[in-house]
Amino acid sequence: MSKDAYIHKVLPGEPGGPLVFAFHGTGGDENQLLGFARELVPGATVVSPRGDVSELGAARFFRRTGEGVYDMDDLIRATVKMAGFVKAHVKEAKPSAVYALGYSNGANILASVLFAAPEQFDATALMHPLIPFAPEINGSLSGRRVLITAGRRDPICPPELTSRLNAYLRDAGADVRLEWHEGGHEVRPNEIDAAKRFFATKEQGQ
């Protein structure tokens, strides 16, 4: 798969340093999380793709037929395509570590790639993911670190599904941290602080 499979932006960092992939939410684009990813991992190279599906003009990474109802065939297509995109960039960059973060729909495609190819990422931050199905994890997530952030009153991502995802990942061997706030689907300061601590801890362990 080509590293140009998606329209994307690259924010160059230190050669041989960490590589961070940033996946936007519905209606966002390759600019939405670019600066935030660099803030989380200073000095990293950041790659931020734009979703290739349009939902009434809003960019997404895969199709859905309703709120929380995914087109599973298209999710499979998108997962294979994104895994190839990530692999191509990693092959070219030869980074010291590979990290990723995604918000909402971006967290969903990131989680799906993580299920399909657990070896792709050293650490991932899933911000308000919604996984309304039982994932099939292709291997073990042992040694992989995952941060999940969520709102206890999120109308899009019910807390019980967040807790279920947490359990799935733990059962597959992942080292999972779960950060809640009392609001809805918005990103709040404690989530940002948790993400900064999460990636800083990983950096110190290199």
Side-chain angles (χ1 to χ4, degrees):
M1 183 67 69
S2 168
K3 66 184 183 64
D4 295 317
Y6 289 88
I7 295 171
H8 66 283
K9 280 193 173 180
V10 177
L11 192 59
E14 300 168 2
L19 182 61
V20 182
F21 291 89
F23 303 102
H24 65 78
T26 298
D29 61 19
E30 64 274 22
N31 298 296
Q32 186 180 46
L33 298 177
L34 196 67
F36 180 49
R38 170 58 67 81
E39 182 183 348
L40 293 178
V41 189
T45 294
V46 181
V47 178
S48 183
R50 182 194 304 175
D52 61 351
V53 169
S54 176
E55 182 180 87
L56 301 177
R60 286 176 53 84
F61 290 102
F62 58 89
R63 296 186 181 89
R64 60 182 174 180
T65 57
E67 191 68 62
V69 183
Y70 297 164
D71 180 331
M72 297 304 291
D73 288 339
D74 195 58
L75 177 58
I76 292 170
R77 172 206 65 83
T79 300
V80 171
K81 181 178 178 180
M82 187 61 75
F85 175 81
V86 168
K87 187 175 182 178
H89 278 274
V90 171
K91 183 178 180 181
E92 180 180 84
K94 297 178 174 60
S96 60
V98 183
Y99 306 142
L101 72 143
Y103 165 66
S104 194
N105 182 242
N108 299 337
I109 188 63
L110 173 54
S112 190
V113 173
L114 183 64
F115 302 150
E119 74 285 354
Q120 292 270 40
F121 306 108
D122 297 298
T124 57
L126 307 173
M127 308 183 82
H128 297 264
L130 173 60
I131 304 298
F133 56 89
E136 293 186 15
I137 298 176
N138 184 29
S140 171
L141 287 170
S142 179
R144 309 296 170 178
R145 298 174 65 251
V146 181
L147 171 68
I148 302 173
T149 70
R152 294 190 185 279
R153 295 175 175 81
D154 192 331
I156 296 174
C157 303
E160 58 270 22
L161 292 188
T162 299
S163 296
R164 190 176 72 172
L165 174 61
N166 176 40
Y168 284 142
L169 293 172
R170 288 182 184 277
D171 288 346
D175 175 8
V176 187
R177 302 183 187 187
L178 183 54
E179 179 77 18
W180 294 98
H181 64 62
E182 296 304 316
H185 201 57
E186 73 281 0
V187 175
R188 292 196 173 184
N190 69 300
E191 291 178 77
I192 296 173
D193 290 342
K196 288 180 178 178
R197 292 192 304 270
F198 176 72
F199 286 114
T201 299
K202 185 62 183 175
E203 280 298 285
Q204 292 165 6
Q206 290 297 315

